[in-house]
Amino acid sequence: MKIIAVKDKNEMSRKAAELIIETVRKKPNAVLGLATGGTPEGTYRELVADHRQNGTSYQQITTVNLDEYAGIDPKDPNSYHAYMASHFFNHVDLPENQSYLPSSSDLSEEESKHYDDLIASLGGIDLQLLGIGRNGHIGFNEPGTPLTIGTHVVQLTESTRKANARYFRSLSDVPERAVTMGIGTILKSKRILLIASGEEKAEAMSKLIHASLPDSSFPASALTQHPDVTVIADEPALSLISMSKD
């Protein structure tokens, strides 16, 4: 696991975007695994700016997203379909039929398996972007999730729902379930990029960096078993550990 320490969220966003852009330029038909939430917003801004200024093309790129809320209308502003359109898809030349997110309406095991089969049919994910939850979740894989599981429906913990409530009118409006790539699916990615920002992520980052073995009570620890993980985190997120800047 390679750790890149940066000063702040802006530098984290730039560094993450540079790595994604490098991937796209080296492999114009790459499969990118994408994430949502507050942490990657700046990364998407950097990618859009680069597309406009430097013409980096996504014409041959395919994207697969980590997760989506269960039961939410894809047109709902709080859906991850809407998030991706607003922050990235609508601003680059990615063909509409080359972006995929888990279904918010079909919660069957067959549909979950279909998502994993889709990823496999694309040749797997070349670069998977991840954030990390305060409780160590990656995607919506909450503590206790089996570390080999594929895409599945998950019951969201109260802490995760509270963390996401700022995007909704109230906590009661936050969906109680989501569909997420499983940890097993994520670990099949050829390369993983995890980004973290802010003091609220410091405890999770300390646990991750000091983890030596995978433990289902802290899902991000599964990343210790992957051969190519890059972590980009800012000083507040690394405040509980002693790091030298890369």
Side-chain angles (χ1 to χ4, degrees), residues 226-244:
H226 193 280
D228 194 347
V229 178
T230 298
V231 175
I232 304 176
D234 65 11
E235 290 178 358
L238 296 172
S239 58
L240 296 181
I241 49 183
S242 178
M243 299 281 303
S244 60

Side-chain angles (χ1 to χ4, degrees), residues 38-232:
T39 305
E41 286 181 3
T43 299
Y44 291 128
R45 283 196 297 271
E46 293 287 341
L47 293 177
V48 170
D50 166 74
H51 170 71
R52 290 172 174 168
Q53 295 167 12
N54 303 314
T56 301
S57 177
Y58 296 83
Q59 280 282 345
Q60 300 178 61
I61 293 294
T62 303
T63 67
V64 288
N65 262 73
L66 273 173
D67 42 34
E68 177 58 286
Y69 290 116
I72 200 168
D73 188 321
K75 295 181 181 178
D76 187 309
N78 289 313
S79 75
Y80 289 155
H81 283 75
Y83 173 106
M84 291 306 306
S86 172
H87 290 285
F88 188 53
F89 294 160
N90 288 349
H91 308 289
V92 297
D93 61 344
L94 177 73
E96 187 174 349
N97 64 351
Q98 289 169 208
S99 61
Y100 299 93
L101 289 89
S103 172
S104 60
S105 57
D106 187 343
L107 306 182
S108 67
E109 289 185 13
E110 290 80 8
E111 179 61 24
S112 291
K113 184 178 184 302
H114 172 72
Y115 200 65
D116 284 337
D117 289 344
L118 166 69
I119 293 170
S121 73
L122 295 169
I125 297 168
D126 291 292
L127 178 65
Q128 175 65 59
L129 178 65
L130 294 177
I132 186 170
R134 299 182 192 189
N135 62 3
H137 72 239
I138 50 176
F140 272 132
N141 294 286
E142 300 283 10
T145 302
L147 300 183
T148 57
I149 197 169
T151 297
H152 62 289
V153 178
V154 62
Q155 191 78 22
L156 299 179
T157 63
E158 194 69 7
S159 64
T160 295
R161 293 182 68 241
K162 285 180 178 178
N164 290 354
R166 66 188 186 274
Y167 301 113
F168 293 81
R169 289 177 298 179
S170 67
L171 177 61
S172 63
D173 290 324
V174 181
E176 296 183 353
R177 295 191 296 169
V179 186
T180 184
M181 278 188 206
I183 298 171
T185 307
I186 292 168
L187 291 179
K188 290 179 182 177
S189 305
K190 299 178 180 73
R191 189 176 187 186
I192 293 173
L193 169 61
L194 185 144
I195 57 177
S197 173
E199 289 183 7
E200 67 273 15
K201 301 296 177 70
E203 185 175 350
M205 288 304 300
S206 179
K207 285 184 178 180
L208 172 61
I209 290 171
H210 290 113
S212 57
L213 293 171
D215 181 348
S216 62
S217 69
F218 187 71
S221 64
L223 300 179
T224 61
Q225 303 303 294
H226 193 280
D228 194 347
V229 178
T230 298
V231 175
I232 304 176

